[in-house]
Amino acid sequence: YITPTAITIITLSIIMGTILTMSSSNWLMAWIGLELNMLAILPIISKPKTTRASEATIKYFLTQAIASAMMLLSSTTNAWQTGNWDILELKNKFSTTIMTLSLMMKMGAAPVHFWLPEVLQGTTLQTALLITTWQKLAPVTLMYMISNNIQPALLMSAGLLSMVVGGLGGINQTQLRKTMAYSSINNLGWTIMIMALSPNLAIMNITIYIIMTTPVFLMMKNTSMKTLQNLTTTWTTSTAMTLSIALLMLSTSGLPPFTGFMPKMLALNELITQKLTTLATLAIMTSLISLLFYLRIAYLIMMLTPP
């Protein structure tokens, strides 16, 4: 049991940590913000007294600690080379590569995504919502700030890999939280890929994803959905909610005329404008893979809902 005072302190620390990172111009302050944020969320992940929750907490802690260490290594090397701790002055090639990997690990993008599905499966839906939305803000903001200095090839290949992993990983899942984790990896792929060409578009993409994911998690929590099996039985008690989840799933997959289609269309437009037609084609192909599991969820709901 966590006391109300502890909950207040933890909540404030999570909010403060993210805001500190997002508003700092110095690598050390950004790092302190991320550490504060990580330490505050650990008691929340481990709140359910199960071995699974403890395991999720340890996994989360270890990956975030490794990412933080890489971040320190990167910024220290850069400061050593350039004599500057400024976030916007990350000029060293080695530093930018390590920093990009570190931020990708913090947000859970492929190829360093392994912790995300495991951690989400081990926690409550509320905590899963926190990890897939709020916890992405700080690393995405930092990546946005250094996007000018990162090699585009690195971002694009990591983005494409995240799309493939998110798509293929989600197909085989029956657990909704794991499905949502792979959905998150898939969407981060789009965000990272377009970060190389149009950072503002990347921010819009992640914002729309957060806006669409939040109600899905809240409705899942409200109806106590855990697996695909639950989806087929909840429409009897809450039809409107189940239908909303189906529509939000289709939107997240990027099907027109839903909202989720817009950032993907703009991203593809940007890729084609920059003469990266092959990449655009590959992105469309991978988005078809992820469409498969979103459609399966929508199909299960639509087919089993009475007329």
Side-chain angles (χ1 to χ4, degrees), residues 179-180 183-184 186-187 190 205 208-216 244-255 258-261 263-264 287 290-291 293-294:
T179 309
M180 292 307 286
S183 157
S184 166
N186 180 43
N187 266 284
W190 283 91
N205 187 55
I208 288 179
Y209 166 71
I210 288 173
I211 292 168
M212 290 186 305
T213 281
T214 308
V216 172
S244 303
I245 288 180
L247 293 174
L248 279 161
M249 282 295 175
L250 291 177
S251 182
T252 317
S253 72
L255 263 189
F258 298 104
T259 317
F261 173 62
K264 287 191 177 178
S287 112
S290 59
L291 181 63
F293 70 82
Y294 290 120

PDB file of all heavy atoms in Angstrom, residues 179-180 183-184 186-187 190 205 208-216 244-255 258-261 263-264 287 290-291 293-294:
ATOM      1  N   THR A 179       0.297  -6.395 -27.150  1.00  0.00           N
ATOM      2  CA  THR A 179      -0.092  -5.858 -28.458  1.00  0.00           C
ATOM      3  C   THR A 179       0.111  -4.346 -28.480  1.00  0.00           C
ATOM      4  O   THR A 179       0.642  -3.791 -29.433  1.00  0.00           O
ATOM      5  CB  THR A 179      -1.572  -6.190 -28.757  1.00  0.00           C
ATOM      6  OG1 THR A 179      -1.763  -7.585 -28.558  1.00  0.00           O
ATOM      7  CG2 THR A 179      -1.943  -5.844 -30.177  1.00  0.00           C
ATOM      8  N   MET A 180      -0.313  -3.673 -27.391  1.00  0.00           N
ATOM      9  CA  MET A 180      -0.169  -2.222 -27.306  1.00  0.00           C
ATOM     10  C   MET A 180       1.309  -1.815 -27.263  1.00  0.00           C
ATOM     11  O   MET A 180       1.688  -0.769 -27.776  1.00  0.00           O
ATOM     12  CB  MET A 180      -0.895  -1.669 -26.067  1.00  0.00           C
ATOM     13  CG  MET A 180      -2.403  -1.783 -26.125  1.00  0.00           C
ATOM     14  SD  MET A 180      -3.137  -1.094 -27.603  1.00  0.00           S
ATOM     15  CE  MET A 180      -2.976   0.648 -27.265  1.00  0.00           C
ATOM     16  N   SER A 183       2.489  -2.015 -30.746  1.00  0.00           N
ATOM     17  CA  SER A 183       1.882  -0.885 -31.440  1.00  0.00           C
ATOM     18  C   SER A 183       2.680   0.389 -31.171  1.00  0.00           C
ATOM     19  O   SER A 183       2.920   1.207 -32.060  1.00  0.00           O
ATOM     20  CB  SER A 183       0.436  -0.739 -30.952  1.00  0.00           C
ATOM     21  OG  SER A 183      -0.032   0.549 -31.149  1.00  0.00           O
ATOM     22  N   SER A 184       3.129   0.520 -29.917  1.00  0.00           N
ATOM     23  CA  SER A 184       3.933   1.679 -29.528  1.00  0.00           C
ATOM     24  C   SER A 184       5.280   1.680 -30.256  1.00  0.00           C
ATOM     25  O   SER A 184       5.734   2.720 -30.740  1.00  0.00           O
ATOM     26  CB  SER A 184       4.145   1.635 -28.013  1.00  0.00           C
ATOM     27  OG  SER A 184       5.139   2.522 -27.626  1.00  0.00           O
ATOM     28  N   ASN A 186       5.925   0.276 -33.122  1.00  0.00           N
ATOM     29  CA  ASN A 186       5.620   0.566 -34.519  1.00  0.00           C
ATOM     30  C   ASN A 186       5.455   2.067 -34.763  1.00  0.00           C
ATOM     31  O   ASN A 186       6.012   2.626 -35.703  1.00  0.00           O
ATOM     32  CB  ASN A 186       4.338  -0.193 -34.901  1.00  0.00           C
ATOM     33  CG  ASN A 186       3.950   0.047 -36.337  1.00  0.00           C
ATOM     34  OD1 ASN A 186       4.781   0.036 -37.229  1.00  0.00           O
ATOM     35  ND2 ASN A 186       2.676   0.271 -36.563  1.00  0.00           N
ATOM     36  N   ASN A 187       4.695   2.720 -33.870  1.00  0.00           N
ATOM     37  CA  ASN A 187       4.490   4.162 -34.022  1.00  0.00           C
ATOM     38  C   ASN A 187       5.759   4.967 -33.787  1.00  0.00           C
ATOM     39  O   ASN A 187       5.981   5.985 -34.435  1.00  0.00           O
ATOM     40  CB  ASN A 187       3.385   4.634 -33.085  1.00  0.00           C
ATOM     41  CG  ASN A 187       2.055   4.653 -33.795  1.00  0.00           C
ATOM     42  OD1 ASN A 187       1.796   5.541 -34.580  1.00  0.00           O
ATOM     43  ND2 ASN A 187       1.239   3.645 -33.566  1.00  0.00           N
ATOM     44  N   TRP A 190       7.769   5.257 -36.959  1.00  0.00           N
ATOM     45  CA  TRP A 190       7.384   6.388 -37.828  1.00  0.00           C
ATOM     46  C   TRP A 190       7.965   7.696 -37.306  1.00  0.00           C
ATOM     47  O   TRP A 190       8.494   8.514 -38.060  1.00  0.00           O
ATOM     48  CB  TRP A 190       5.860   6.499 -37.910  1.00  0.00           C
ATOM     49  CG  TRP A 190       5.243   5.480 -38.813  1.00  0.00           C
ATOM     50  CD1 TRP A 190       4.801   4.240 -38.460  1.00  0.00           C
ATOM     51  CD2 TRP A 190       5.022   5.595 -40.225  1.00  0.00           C
ATOM     52  NE1 TRP A 190       4.315   3.589 -39.568  1.00  0.00           N
ATOM     53  CE2 TRP A 190       4.432   4.381 -40.667  1.00  0.00           C
ATOM     54  CE3 TRP A 190       5.270   6.601 -41.154  1.00  0.00           C
ATOM     55  CZ2 TRP A 190       4.080   4.148 -41.998  1.00  0.00           C
ATOM     56  CZ3 TRP A 190       4.926   6.375 -42.481  1.00  0.00           C
ATOM     57  CH2 TRP A 190       4.340   5.172 -42.887  1.00  0.00           C
ATOM     58  N   ASN A 205       3.421  13.477 -34.969  1.00  0.00           N
ATOM     59  CA  ASN A 205       3.121  12.043 -35.018  1.00  0.00           C
ATOM     60  C   ASN A 205       2.999  11.444 -33.623  1.00  0.00           C
ATOM     61  O   ASN A 205       2.031  10.751 -33.319  1.00  0.00           O
ATOM     62  CB  ASN A 205       4.217  11.328 -35.818  1.00  0.00           C
ATOM     63  CG  ASN A 205       3.893   9.880 -36.050  1.00  0.00           C
ATOM     64  OD1 ASN A 205       2.851   9.532 -36.580  1.00  0.00           O
ATOM     65  ND2 ASN A 205       4.779   9.010 -35.614  1.00  0.00           N
ATOM     66  N   ILE A 208      -0.170  12.758 -31.751  1.00  0.00           N
ATOM     67  CA  ILE A 208      -1.416  12.115 -32.184  1.00  0.00           C
ATOM     68  C   ILE A 208      -1.477  10.685 -31.661  1.00  0.00           C
ATOM     69  O   ILE A 208      -2.531  10.214 -31.205  1.00  0.00           O
ATOM     70  CB  ILE A 208      -1.550  12.167 -33.731  1.00  0.00           C
ATOM     71  CG1 ILE A 208      -1.856  13.604 -34.147  1.00  0.00           C
ATOM     72  CG2 ILE A 208      -2.657  11.227 -34.233  1.00  0.00           C
ATOM     73  CD1 ILE A 208      -2.000  13.842 -35.621  1.00  0.00           C
ATOM     74  N   TYR A 209      -0.335   9.994 -31.651  1.00  0.00           N
ATOM     75  CA  TYR A 209      -0.302   8.629 -31.124  1.00  0.00           C
ATOM     76  C   TYR A 209      -0.709   8.613 -29.649  1.00  0.00           C
ATOM     77  O   TYR A 209      -1.513   7.786 -29.230  1.00  0.00           O
ATOM     78  CB  TYR A 209       1.093   8.012 -31.300  1.00  0.00           C
ATOM     79  CG  TYR A 209       1.268   6.755 -30.475  1.00  0.00           C
ATOM     80  CD1 TYR A 209       0.607   5.581 -30.819  1.00  0.00           C
ATOM     81  CD2 TYR A 209       2.039   6.751 -29.315  1.00  0.00           C
ATOM     82  CE1 TYR A 209       0.712   4.448 -30.052  1.00  0.00           C
ATOM     83  CE2 TYR A 209       2.156   5.616 -28.540  1.00  0.00           C
ATOM     84  CZ  TYR A 209       1.489   4.464 -28.908  1.00  0.00           C
ATOM     85  OH  TYR A 209       1.585   3.347 -28.134  1.00  0.00           O
ATOM     86  N   ILE A 210      -0.161   9.563 -28.878  1.00  0.00           N
ATOM     87  CA  ILE A 210      -0.488   9.631 -27.441  1.00  0.00           C
ATOM     88  C   ILE A 210      -1.984   9.907 -27.247  1.00  0.00           C
ATOM     89  O   ILE A 210      -2.647   9.282 -26.419  1.00  0.00           O
ATOM     90  CB  ILE A 210       0.389  10.695 -26.732  1.00  0.00           C
ATOM     91  CG1 ILE A 210       1.827  10.183 -26.635  1.00  0.00           C
ATOM     92  CG2 ILE A 210      -0.149  11.028 -25.341  1.00  0.00           C
ATOM     93  CD1 ILE A 210       2.844  11.185 -26.119  1.00  0.00           C
ATOM     94  N   ILE A 211      -2.522  10.829 -28.059  1.00  0.00           N
ATOM     95  CA  ILE A 211      -3.948  11.169 -27.947  1.00  0.00           C
ATOM     96  C   ILE A 211      -4.828   9.956 -28.266  1.00  0.00           C
ATOM     97  O   ILE A 211      -5.885   9.770 -27.673  1.00  0.00           O
ATOM     98  CB  ILE A 211      -4.293  12.367 -28.874  1.00  0.00           C
ATOM     99  CG1 ILE A 211      -3.619  13.643 -28.350  1.00  0.00           C
ATOM    100  CG2 ILE A 211      -5.801  12.567 -28.988  1.00  0.00           C
ATOM    101  CD1 ILE A 211      -3.650  14.805 -29.319  1.00  0.00           C
ATOM    102  N   MET A 212      -4.381   9.091 -29.198  1.00  0.00           N
ATOM    103  CA  MET A 212      -5.196   7.928 -29.561  1.00  0.00           C
ATOM    104  C   MET A 212      -5.009   6.752 -28.594  1.00  0.00           C
ATOM    105  O   MET A 212      -5.932   5.970 -28.370  1.00  0.00           O
ATOM    106  CB  MET A 212      -4.857   7.476 -30.983  1.00  0.00           C
ATOM    107  CG  MET A 212      -5.340   8.443 -32.041  1.00  0.00           C
ATOM    108  SD  MET A 212      -5.110   7.839 -33.709  1.00  0.00           S
ATOM    109  CE  MET A 212      -3.377   7.467 -33.758  1.00  0.00           C
ATOM    110  N   THR A 213      -3.821   6.629 -28.044  1.00  0.00           N
ATOM    111  CA  THR A 213      -3.533   5.499 -27.157  1.00  0.00           C
ATOM    112  C   THR A 213      -4.163   5.667 -25.776  1.00  0.00           C
ATOM    113  O   THR A 213      -4.622   4.702 -25.182  1.00  0.00           O
ATOM    114  CB  THR A 213      -2.006   5.348 -27.016  1.00  0.00           C
ATOM    115  OG1 THR A 213      -1.536   4.700 -28.184  1.00  0.00           O
ATOM    116  CG2 THR A 213      -1.617   4.505 -25.838  1.00  0.00           C
ATOM    117  N   THR A 214      -4.170   6.915 -25.274  1.00  0.00           N
ATOM    118  CA  THR A 214      -4.685   7.161 -23.923  1.00  0.00           C
ATOM    119  C   THR A 214      -6.108   6.621 -23.736  1.00  0.00           C
ATOM    120  O   THR A 214      -6.339   5.833 -22.822  1.00  0.00           O
ATOM    121  CB  THR A 214      -4.588   8.665 -23.586  1.00  0.00           C
ATOM    122  OG1 THR A 214      -3.254   9.087 -23.846  1.00  0.00           O
ATOM    123  CG2 THR A 214      -4.921   8.920 -22.136  1.00  0.00           C
ATOM    124  N   PRO A 215      -7.083   6.988 -24.601  1.00  0.00           N
ATOM    125  CA  PRO A 215      -8.429   6.446 -24.375  1.00  0.00           C
ATOM    126  C   PRO A 215      -8.499   4.921 -24.489  1.00  0.00           C
ATOM    127  O   PRO A 215      -9.283   4.293 -23.780  1.00  0.00           O
ATOM    128  CB  PRO A 215      -9.287   7.109 -25.462  1.00  0.00           C
ATOM    129  CG  PRO A 215      -8.351   7.733 -26.404  1.00  0.00           C
ATOM    130  CD  PRO A 215      -7.075   7.972 -25.688  1.00  0.00           C
ATOM    131  N   VAL A 216      -7.652   4.328 -25.348  1.00  0.00           N
ATOM    132  CA  VAL A 216      -7.670   2.854 -25.471  1.00  0.00           C
ATOM    133  C   VAL A 216      -7.327   2.215 -24.133  1.00  0.00           C
ATOM    134  O   VAL A 216      -8.040   1.347 -23.633  1.00  0.00           O
ATOM    135  CB  VAL A 216      -6.678   2.374 -26.563  1.00  0.00           C
ATOM    136  CG1 VAL A 216      -6.566   0.853 -26.554  1.00  0.00           C
ATOM    137  CG2 VAL A 216      -7.131   2.836 -27.938  1.00  0.00           C
ATOM    138  N   SER A 244     -15.673   1.839 -29.575  1.00  0.00           N
ATOM    139  CA  SER A 244     -14.691   2.933 -29.584  1.00  0.00           C
ATOM    140  C   SER A 244     -13.278   2.381 -29.680  1.00  0.00           C
ATOM    141  O   SER A 244     -12.433   2.920 -30.401  1.00  0.00           O
ATOM    142  CB  SER A 244     -14.810   3.778 -28.317  1.00  0.00           C
ATOM    143  OG  SER A 244     -16.103   4.280 -28.198  1.00  0.00           O
ATOM    144  N   ILE A 245     -13.018   1.287 -28.944  1.00  0.00           N
ATOM    145  CA  ILE A 245     -11.686   0.672 -29.002  1.00  0.00           C
ATOM    146  C   ILE A 245     -11.395   0.195 -30.425  1.00  0.00           C
ATOM    147  O   ILE A 245     -10.308   0.428 -30.963  1.00  0.00           O
ATOM    148  CB  ILE A 245     -11.561  -0.500 -27.994  1.00  0.00           C
ATOM    149  CG1 ILE A 245     -11.502   0.056 -26.570  1.00  0.00           C
ATOM    150  CG2 ILE A 245     -10.312  -1.347 -28.273  1.00  0.00           C
ATOM    151  CD1 ILE A 245     -11.383  -0.975 -25.473  1.00  0.00           C
ATOM    152  N   ALA A 246     -12.391  -0.423 -31.074  1.00  0.00           N
ATOM    153  CA  ALA A 246     -12.213  -0.901 -32.451  1.00  0.00           C
ATOM    154  C   ALA A 246     -11.856   0.249 -33.377  1.00  0.00           C
ATOM    155  O   ALA A 246     -10.902   0.168 -34.163  1.00  0.00           O
ATOM    156  CB  ALA A 246     -13.471  -1.601 -32.931  1.00  0.00           C
ATOM    157  N   LEU A 247     -12.597   1.352 -33.263  1.00  0.00           N
ATOM    158  CA  LEU A 247     -12.342   2.508 -34.135  1.00  0.00           C
ATOM    159  C   LEU A 247     -10.991   3.136 -33.859  1.00  0.00           C
ATOM    160  O   LEU A 247     -10.264   3.530 -34.783  1.00  0.00           O
ATOM    161  CB  LEU A 247     -13.464   3.550 -33.972  1.00  0.00           C
ATOM    162  CG  LEU A 247     -14.834   3.103 -34.485  1.00  0.00           C
ATOM    163  CD1 LEU A 247     -15.899   4.132 -34.143  1.00  0.00           C
ATOM    164  CD2 LEU A 247     -14.800   2.870 -35.989  1.00  0.00           C
ATOM    165  N   LEU A 248     -10.623   3.225 -32.554  1.00  0.00           N
ATOM    166  CA  LEU A 248      -9.321   3.797 -32.201  1.00  0.00           C
ATOM    167  C   LEU A 248      -8.178   2.923 -32.712  1.00  0.00           C
ATOM    168  O   LEU A 248      -7.129   3.419 -33.119  1.00  0.00           O
ATOM    169  CB  LEU A 248      -9.212   3.982 -30.687  1.00  0.00           C
ATOM    170  CG  LEU A 248      -9.896   5.233 -30.152  1.00  0.00           C
ATOM    171  CD1 LEU A 248     -10.139   5.112 -28.655  1.00  0.00           C
ATOM    172  CD2 LEU A 248      -9.073   6.475 -30.440  1.00  0.00           C
ATOM    173  N   MET A 249      -8.388   1.600 -32.702  1.00  0.00           N
ATOM    174  CA  MET A 249      -7.383   0.675 -33.229  1.00  0.00           C
ATOM    175  C   MET A 249      -7.176   0.913 -34.725  1.00  0.00           C
ATOM    176  O   MET A 249      -6.055   0.957 -35.217  1.00  0.00           O
ATOM    177  CB  MET A 249      -7.813  -0.781 -33.001  1.00  0.00           C
ATOM    178  CG  MET A 249      -7.589  -1.243 -31.587  1.00  0.00           C
ATOM    179  SD  MET A 249      -5.836  -1.273 -31.224  1.00  0.00           S
ATOM    180  CE  MET A 249      -5.855  -1.676 -29.511  1.00  0.00           C
ATOM    181  N   LEU A 250      -8.283   1.074 -35.434  1.00  0.00           N
ATOM    182  CA  LEU A 250      -8.192   1.337 -36.875  1.00  0.00           C
ATOM    183  C   LEU A 250      -7.497   2.672 -37.130  1.00  0.00           C
ATOM    184  O   LEU A 250      -6.719   2.813 -38.073  1.00  0.00           O
ATOM    185  CB  LEU A 250      -9.588   1.341 -37.512  1.00  0.00           C
ATOM    186  CG  LEU A 250     -10.300  -0.013 -37.568  1.00  0.00           C
ATOM    187  CD1 LEU A 250     -11.700   0.147 -38.143  1.00  0.00           C
ATOM    188  CD2 LEU A 250      -9.503  -1.020 -38.396  1.00  0.00           C
ATOM    189  N   SER A 251      -7.774   3.636 -36.259  1.00  0.00           N
ATOM    190  CA  SER A 251      -7.140   4.949 -36.400  1.00  0.00           C
ATOM    191  C   SER A 251      -5.638   4.845 -36.167  1.00  0.00           C
ATOM    192  O   SER A 251      -4.827   5.378 -36.925  1.00  0.00           O
ATOM    193  CB  SER A 251      -7.753   5.930 -35.411  1.00  0.00           C
ATOM    194  OG  SER A 251      -7.173   7.201 -35.582  1.00  0.00           O
ATOM    195  N   THR A 252      -5.235   4.113 -35.103  1.00  0.00           N
ATOM    196  CA  THR A 252      -3.812   3.958 -34.795  1.00  0.00           C
ATOM    197  C   THR A 252      -3.087   3.248 -35.940  1.00  0.00           C
ATOM    198  O   THR A 252      -1.921   3.516 -36.211  1.00  0.00           O
ATOM    199  CB  THR A 252      -3.626   3.137 -33.488  1.00  0.00           C
ATOM    200  OG1 THR A 252      -4.561   3.598 -32.534  1.00  0.00           O
ATOM    201  CG2 THR A 252      -2.235   3.297 -32.931  1.00  0.00           C
ATOM    202  N   SER A 253      -3.803   2.345 -36.634  1.00  0.00           N
ATOM    203  CA  SER A 253      -3.161   1.613 -37.724  1.00  0.00           C
ATOM    204  C   SER A 253      -2.885   2.522 -38.928  1.00  0.00           C
ATOM    205  O   SER A 253      -2.092   2.194 -39.792  1.00  0.00           O
ATOM    206  CB  SER A 253      -4.046   0.450 -38.153  1.00  0.00           C
ATOM    207  OG  SER A 253      -5.174   0.943 -38.832  1.00  0.00           O
ATOM    208  N   GLY A 254      -3.562   3.662 -38.970  1.00  0.00           N
ATOM    209  CA  GLY A 254      -3.318   4.620 -40.051  1.00  0.00           C
ATOM    210  C   GLY A 254      -4.252   4.443 -41.236  1.00  0.00           C
ATOM    211  O   GLY A 254      -3.912   4.776 -42.362  1.00  0.00           O
ATOM    212  N   LEU A 255      -5.442   3.893 -40.984  1.00  0.00           N
ATOM    213  CA  LEU A 255      -6.416   3.733 -42.073  1.00  0.00           C
ATOM    214  C   LEU A 255      -7.137   5.048 -42.316  1.00  0.00           C
ATOM    215  O   LEU A 255      -7.591   5.686 -41.371  1.00  0.00           O
ATOM    216  CB  LEU A 255      -7.461   2.686 -41.678  1.00  0.00           C
ATOM    217  CG  LEU A 255      -7.321   1.244 -42.152  1.00  0.00           C
ATOM    218  CD1 LEU A 255      -8.592   0.495 -41.804  1.00  0.00           C
ATOM    219  CD2 LEU A 255      -7.080   1.159 -43.640  1.00  0.00           C
ATOM    220  N   PHE A 258      -9.524   7.928 -40.770  1.00  0.00           N
ATOM    221  CA  PHE A 258      -9.277   8.235 -39.361  1.00  0.00           C
ATOM    222  C   PHE A 258      -8.089   9.184 -39.178  1.00  0.00           C
ATOM    223  O   PHE A 258      -7.263   9.355 -40.078  1.00  0.00           O
ATOM    224  CB  PHE A 258      -9.040   6.940 -38.575  1.00  0.00           C
ATOM    225  CG  PHE A 258     -10.205   6.006 -38.587  1.00  0.00           C
ATOM    226  CD1 PHE A 258     -10.196   4.867 -39.384  1.00  0.00           C
ATOM    227  CD2 PHE A 258     -11.324   6.269 -37.823  1.00  0.00           C
ATOM    228  CE1 PHE A 258     -11.278   4.006 -39.411  1.00  0.00           C
ATOM    229  CE2 PHE A 258     -12.422   5.407 -37.839  1.00  0.00           C
ATOM    230  CZ  PHE A 258     -12.396   4.279 -38.637  1.00  0.00           C
ATOM    231  N   THR A 259      -7.997   9.760 -37.964  1.00  0.00           N
ATOM    232  CA  THR A 259      -6.943  10.745 -37.660  1.00  0.00           C
ATOM    233  C   THR A 259      -5.538  10.180 -37.868  1.00  0.00           C
ATOM    234  O   THR A 259      -4.661  10.875 -38.360  1.00  0.00           O
ATOM    235  CB  THR A 259      -7.063  11.187 -36.177  1.00  0.00           C
ATOM    236  OG1 THR A 259      -8.432  11.387 -35.878  1.00  0.00           O
ATOM    237  CG2 THR A 259      -6.285  12.457 -35.919  1.00  0.00           C
ATOM    238  N   GLY A 260      -5.342   8.909 -37.483  1.00  0.00           N
ATOM    239  CA  GLY A 260      -4.006   8.316 -37.559  1.00  0.00           C
ATOM    240  C   GLY A 260      -3.433   8.268 -38.964  1.00  0.00           C
ATOM    241  O   GLY A 260      -2.226   8.104 -39.151  1.00  0.00           O
ATOM    242  N   PHE A 261      -4.302   8.440 -39.965  1.00  0.00           N
ATOM    243  CA  PHE A 261      -3.837   8.410 -41.351  1.00  0.00           C
ATOM    244  C   PHE A 261      -3.032   9.664 -41.685  1.00  0.00           C
ATOM    245  O   PHE A 261      -2.074   9.604 -42.453  1.00  0.00           O
ATOM    246  CB  PHE A 261      -5.058   8.289 -42.279  1.00  0.00           C
ATOM    247  CG  PHE A 261      -4.742   8.423 -43.746  1.00  0.00           C
ATOM    248  CD1 PHE A 261      -3.907   7.517 -44.374  1.00  0.00           C
ATOM    249  CD2 PHE A 261      -5.280   9.455 -44.503  1.00  0.00           C
ATOM    250  CE1 PHE A 261      -3.608   7.627 -45.731  1.00  0.00           C
ATOM    251  CE2 PHE A 261      -4.999   9.577 -45.854  1.00  0.00           C
ATOM    252  CZ  PHE A 261      -4.163   8.662 -46.471  1.00  0.00           C
ATOM    253  N   PRO A 263      -0.767  11.835 -40.009  1.00  0.00           N
ATOM    254  CA  PRO A 263       0.685  11.923 -39.851  1.00  0.00           C
ATOM    255  C   PRO A 263       1.441  10.961 -40.769  1.00  0.00           C
ATOM    256  O   PRO A 263       2.511  11.302 -41.285  1.00  0.00           O
ATOM    257  CB  PRO A 263       0.929  11.561 -38.385  1.00  0.00           C
ATOM    258  CG  PRO A 263      -0.326  10.992 -37.875  1.00  0.00           C
ATOM    259  CD  PRO A 263      -1.427  11.493 -38.743  1.00  0.00           C
ATOM    260  N   LYS A 264       0.858   9.771 -41.031  1.00  0.00           N
ATOM    261  CA  LYS A 264       1.534   8.812 -41.918  1.00  0.00           C
ATOM    262  C   LYS A 264       1.567   9.347 -43.347  1.00  0.00           C
ATOM    263  O   LYS A 264       2.578   9.220 -44.040  1.00  0.00           O
ATOM    264  CB  LYS A 264       0.836   7.452 -41.861  1.00  0.00           C
ATOM    265  CG  LYS A 264       1.115   6.745 -40.544  1.00  0.00           C
ATOM    266  CD  LYS A 264       0.682   5.309 -40.530  1.00  0.00           C
ATOM    267  CE  LYS A 264       1.072   4.687 -39.185  1.00  0.00           C
ATOM    268  NZ  LYS A 264       0.653   3.303 -39.058  1.00  0.00           N
ATOM    269  N   SER A 287       3.679  -0.986 -42.731  1.00  0.00           N
ATOM    270  CA  SER A 287       2.443  -0.539 -42.087  1.00  0.00           C
ATOM    271  C   SER A 287       1.296  -1.517 -42.403  1.00  0.00           C
ATOM    272  O   SER A 287       0.338  -1.642 -41.647  1.00  0.00           O
ATOM    273  CB  SER A 287       2.134   0.902 -42.467  1.00  0.00           C
ATOM    274  OG  SER A 287       1.018   1.003 -43.267  1.00  0.00           O
ATOM    275  N   SER A 290       1.469  -4.264 -39.663  1.00  0.00           N
ATOM    276  CA  SER A 290       0.851  -3.884 -38.388  1.00  0.00           C
ATOM    277  C   SER A 290      -0.667  -3.746 -38.538  1.00  0.00           C
ATOM    278  O   SER A 290      -1.414  -3.982 -37.587  1.00  0.00           O
ATOM    279  CB  SER A 290       1.459  -2.599 -37.852  1.00  0.00           C
ATOM    280  OG  SER A 290       1.290  -1.561 -38.777  1.00  0.00           O
ATOM    281  N   LEU A 291      -1.111  -3.392 -39.754  1.00  0.00           N
ATOM    282  CA  LEU A 291      -2.559  -3.283 -40.000  1.00  0.00           C
ATOM    283  C   LEU A 291      -3.242  -4.618 -39.698  1.00  0.00           C
ATOM    284  O   LEU A 291      -4.384  -4.655 -39.238  1.00  0.00           O
ATOM    285  CB  LEU A 291      -2.796  -2.876 -41.459  1.00  0.00           C
ATOM    286  CG  LEU A 291      -4.252  -2.689 -41.897  1.00  0.00           C
ATOM    287  CD1 LEU A 291      -4.902  -1.550 -41.125  1.00  0.00           C
ATOM    288  CD2 LEU A 291      -4.343  -2.416 -43.379  1.00  0.00           C
ATOM    289  N   PHE A 293      -2.712  -6.885 -37.292  1.00  0.00           N
ATOM    290  CA  PHE A 293      -3.187  -7.140 -35.930  1.00  0.00           C
ATOM    291  C   PHE A 293      -4.191  -6.107 -35.436  1.00  0.00           C
ATOM    292  O   PHE A 293      -5.062  -6.415 -34.634  1.00  0.00           O
ATOM    293  CB  PHE A 293      -2.030  -7.377 -34.941  1.00  0.00           C
ATOM    294  CG  PHE A 293      -1.172  -6.207 -34.596  1.00  0.00           C
ATOM    295  CD1 PHE A 293      -1.562  -5.296 -33.640  1.00  0.00           C
ATOM    296  CD2 PHE A 293       0.082  -6.060 -35.181  1.00  0.00           C
ATOM    297  CE1 PHE A 293      -0.756  -4.240 -33.285  1.00  0.00           C
ATOM    298  CE2 PHE A 293       0.903  -4.998 -34.829  1.00  0.00           C
ATOM    299  CZ  PHE A 293       0.486  -4.086 -33.877  1.00  0.00           C
ATOM    300  N   TYR A 294      -4.117  -4.876 -35.965  1.00  0.00           N
ATOM    301  CA  TYR A 294      -5.141  -3.891 -35.598  1.00  0.00           C
ATOM    302  C   TYR A 294      -6.495  -4.344 -36.159  1.00  0.00           C
ATOM    303  O   TYR A 294      -7.519  -4.278 -35.502  1.00  0.00           O
ATOM    304  CB  TYR A 294      -4.807  -2.518 -36.175  1.00  0.00           C
ATOM    305  CG  TYR A 294      -3.625  -1.832 -35.541  1.00  0.00           C
ATOM    306  CD1 TYR A 294      -2.505  -1.485 -36.299  1.00  0.00           C
ATOM    307  CD2 TYR A 294      -3.633  -1.489 -34.192  1.00  0.00           C
ATOM    308  CE1 TYR A 294      -1.425  -0.837 -35.725  1.00  0.00           C
ATOM    309  CE2 TYR A 294      -2.561  -0.837 -33.613  1.00  0.00           C
ATOM    310  CZ  TYR A 294      -1.456  -0.519 -34.388  1.00  0.00           C
ATOM    311  OH  TYR A 294      -0.395   0.126 -33.822  1.00  0.00           O
TER     312      TYR A 294
END
